Amino acid sequence: STFDELSLSHHSYSSHISRGNSSSSSIRDNSDLLAAYDNAIKSFCPNILLNEINTSSVSVRCTYFTGVCMLADISGFTKLSNELGKDGKNGLDELRKATSGFLSKFIYLVYSYGGDVISFAGDALICIFRHENGMAPCESKRKAIECGLKLKEHYTDQLSAHIAITT
């Protein structure tokens, strides 16, 4: 697939292959390495992009779709980072724990409502809810709104969410 070609062209993988030999254990090791690179790369790609890469024979193309875009901004992050940053490494570890758990919940909820996290913009998530064939016209809007309302329910003493939705 095109995704496998992307992984094969990765410099580290190519370097590893050129240092390897052609024995069956090396091929198995290379196969394991390829799978590891695939998973690592895929973890940074939105599902919509992965689907296009895996189903397209064209290397570069534009895809248009209808749907809903949602911006989920974490409010309180700057204040919290300034406060915890004063505590040095321990403060930074606490900040990582606080925001990682918060973002993990956000990402989980977006995917559970059928959305896709396209990108991060600072401490905000940019998400889409794609209108699929056979779906009622308002279904992607309903999913995005329900997800946004659920995201607003997740807050801590320091962190909360501001949600913007557009079609």
Side-chain angles (χ1 to χ4, degrees):
S1 74
T2 306
F3 200 84
D4 292 335
E5 291 167 16
L6 284 174
S7 296
L8 283 170
S9 68
H10 190 277
H11 174 70
S12 297
Y13 182 74
S14 298
S15 297
H16 180 79
I17 295 294
S18 66
R19 289 191 309 266
N21 60 40
S22 60
S23 72
S24 62
S25 67
S26 176
I27 291 169
R28 190 176 344 92
D29 292 344
N30 292 337
S31 176
D32 292 344
L33 184 61
L34 176 60
Y37 278 126
D38 271 353
N39 290 334
I41 292 169
K42 288 176 183 177
S43 71
F44 291 100
C45 295
N47 285 337
I48 190 171
L49 177 60
L50 292 174
N51 291 338
E52 287 297 319
I53 289 171
N54 287 325
T55 60
S56 174
S57 61
V58 179
S59 60
V60 178
R61 69 180 218 184
C62 293
T63 300
Y64 297 91
F65 61 89
T66 58
V68 178
C69 182
M70 179 177 73
L71 177 72
D73 182 55
I74 300 175
S75 179
F77 176 80
T78 303
K79 181 180 176 188
L80 183 62
S81 64
N82 287 338
E83 288 174 8
L84 293 175
K86 294 175 187 173
D87 295 335
K89 184 176 178 346
N90 290 338
L92 293 176
D93 285 341
E94 288 302 312
L95 178 64
R96 182 192 52 78
K97 289 176 191 174
T99 56
S100 179
F102 204 76
L103 282 173
S104 294
K105 288 178 188 175
F106 270 38
I107 293 167
Y108 172 78
L109 282 170
V110 169
Y111 284 111
S112 70
Y113 278 90
D116 195 6
V117 177
I118 308 256
S119 183
F120 292 88
D123 59 353
L125 280 73
I126 300 173
C127 312
I128 60 163
F129 293 81
R130 193 173 180 167
H131 181 83
E132 302 291 343
N133 289 336
M135 207 185 246
C138 61
E139 186 66 16
S140 56
K141 294 173 189 174
R142 183 189 62 76
K143 286 181 177 183
I145 290 168
E146 286 179 0
C147 180
L149 290 171
K150 197 58 128 172
L151 290 174
K152 299 260 318 152
E153 292 176 9
H154 289 280
Y155 58 88
T156 66
D157 292 340
Q158 297 101 356
L159 301 173
S160 62
H162 293 284
I163 308 296
I165 298 174
T166 188
T167 55

